[in-house]
Amino acid sequence: MIEITGNIWTFHRTGWVAITTNGAVKRDGSAVMGRGVALQARRRFPRLPYELGARIRRHGNQVFAFPRYRLYTLPVKHDWRERADLDLIVASCRQLAALVPSGRTVYLVRPGCGAGGLAWEDVRPVIADILDDRFVVVELPR
């Protein structure tokens, strides 16, 4: 796992982005994507919340690939109102690592550390051995 500072969407031009998500689906069938990088993705790709919502309803809260958008989802919460779940983050990172082919670079924010309420000092040690050098964690500049 590589760590850098920057704007994650700058790197989307050359690689894939993993957006942190939850398992909540609204009545209209769209996934809840109301904060952070998920909100940014929703604004860039207006159909994404409906496509993700359909997959969550069919397969549950797990990692999904969206090749059309060069995106992966990375569940960090079961419901948007909850705090991020460290066990879910670990399971999601394992699933993501298994899905990403060698040679592909995936950029992600610090999972669970924004709206999820977790500290990077607690998350980093449990995912560092799961995410190899295909994964680049991007922190916003201060």
Side-chain angles (χ1 to χ4, degrees):
M1 176 176 80
I2 300 165
E3 295 180 65
I4 63 172
T5 301
N7 179 332
I8 197 164
W9 296 108
T10 302
F11 305 106
H12 187 244
R13 295 182 196 129
T14 58
W16 287 51
V17 168
I19 59 170
T20 50
T21 59
N22 63 77
V25 179
K26 300 177 195 175
R27 284 186 216 154
D28 70 356
S30 66
V32 174
M33 300 174 71
R35 292 180 74 182
V37 73
L39 174 61
Q40 294 167 11
R42 183 185 88 196
R43 289 178 175 156
R44 287 173 177 268
F45 310 107
R47 294 294 315 148
L48 179 61
Y50 296 94
E51 294 173 28
L52 176 57
R55 290 191 191 185
I56 291 171
R57 282 190 170 163
R58 179 174 292 134
H59 304 288
N61 191 22
Q62 60 180 304
V63 174
F64 296 109
F66 291 90
R68 174 176 160 185
Y69 308 120
R70 287 190 343 271
L71 294 177
Y72 291 98
T73 58
L74 185 75
V76 299
K77 295 180 178 182
H78 300 284
D79 186 270
W80 66 272
R81 293 171 284 251
E82 299 172 351
R83 185 176 171 92
D85 180 330
L86 197 53
D87 291 334
L88 178 60
I89 292 169
V90 168
S92 296
C93 286
R94 285 187 178 131
Q95 190 178 15
L96 180 64
L99 284 175
V100 174
S102 78
R104 178 173 293 167
T105 302
V106 178
Y107 299 89
L108 64 151
V109 296
R110 293 175 168 183
C113 296
L118 300 180
W120 182 234
E121 296 76 28
D122 297 326
V123 176
R124 187 187 191 289
V126 299
I127 66 170
D129 290 338
I130 300 168
L131 300 180
D132 57 32
D133 62 0
R134 293 171 295 168
F135 301 94
V136 180
V137 176
V138 182
E139 178 188 17
L140 282 174
R142 293 186 184 243

